[in-house]
Amino acid sequence: MAVYEVRIDLKEGVLDAEGKNTLKALGLLGFEVESVKTSKLFRITTDDDVEAMCERLLANPVIHDFSVTKVE
Amino acid sequence: MAVYEVRIDLKEGVLDAEGKNTLKALGLLGFEVESVKTSKLFRITTDDDVEAMCERLLANPVIHDFSVTKVE
C-alpha cells in the first residue's frame, strides 16, 4: 500500500489559539519568538482516495486548507 | 528571522488514540485504510534555539520524538 502525509493547516485569518498560547509560553520561558503556527499531520497507509478522505472527514473547508503528499 | 518547522511524533509503541479513531471513522465512511498516525507541526519564526524550545516545552520526551527543519 502507499503511504501519504496529509497536512491540515488553518486558513489565513483563522485564529490559531494553540499557536498563540505556545507563543506566550515560549516567551515566558525566555525565548524570543515572533510567531507560532500549528498544523496537524496525518500519515495514512492506504490505496484509497486520500483527497476524498480530507474532504469528507479530515479537513473542515470553512477553516482548513489541506495538502496531500505521497511519501512511500 | 528564520522560520523552522518542528514535527512532534509519538514514539513507537505509544498509543495514538486520535489516529485509531480516525482510522475507525474512515472505515465507517467506506474508505479502505490500513493505518493512520497523527503528528503535530509547529511553524516557528525565531532566531532563538528551537531544539531547546522542543526540549523545554513542545515535546514530552517520555512519549514524543521531535525533528526540526529550517524552512526559510
Side-chain angles (χ1 to χ4, degrees):
Chain A
M1 285 201 180
V3 180
Y4 298 85
E5 284 197 347
V6 174
R7 181 180 170 145
I8 311 285
D9 291 298
L10 285 167
K11 286 188 172 168
E12 282 300 321
V14 176
L15 176 71
D16 182 353
E18 188 179 4
K20 281 225 184 307
N21 283 319
T22 305
L23 177 66
K24 191 192 271 183
L26 287 170
L28 290 172
L29 287 171
F31 292 108
E32 287 190 24
V33 180
E34 189 178 288
S35 76
V36 179
K37 286 183 182 181
T38 62
S39 308
K40 186 88 213 158
L41 217 63
F42 293 94
R43 188 179 174 91
I44 302 178
T45 306
T46 185
D47 284 327
D48 218 332
D49 181 351
V50 179
E51 300 254 339
M53 294 178 202
C54 293
E55 284 160 9
R56 292 196 59 196
L57 183 75
L58 304 178
N60 175 349
V62 177
I63 56 168
H64 292 142
D65 290 322
F66 67 84
S67 62
V68 178
T69 313
K70 189 171 179 177
V71 290
E72 274 174 38
Chain B
M1 283 199 183
V3 179
Y4 298 85
E5 284 197 349
V6 174
R7 181 179 169 144
I8 311 285
D9 292 299
L10 284 167
K11 286 188 173 169
E12 281 301 318
V14 177
L15 177 70
D16 182 352
E18 188 179 3
K20 282 224 182 306
N21 283 319
T22 305
L23 177 66
K24 192 192 272 184
L26 288 170
L28 290 171
L29 288 171
F31 293 107
E32 288 191 23
V33 180
E34 189 179 286
S35 76
V36 179
K37 286 183 183 183
T38 63
S39 308
K40 186 90 214 157
L41 217 63
F42 294 94
R43 188 180 175 90
I44 302 178
T45 306
T46 186
D47 285 328
D48 219 332
D49 181 351
V50 179
E51 299 252 341
M53 294 177 201
C54 293
E55 286 161 8
R56 291 196 58 197
L57 183 76
L58 304 177
N60 176 349
V62 177
I63 57 168
H64 292 142
D65 290 321
F66 67 85
S67 61
V68 178
T69 312
K70 189 172 179 177
V71 292
E72 275 176 36

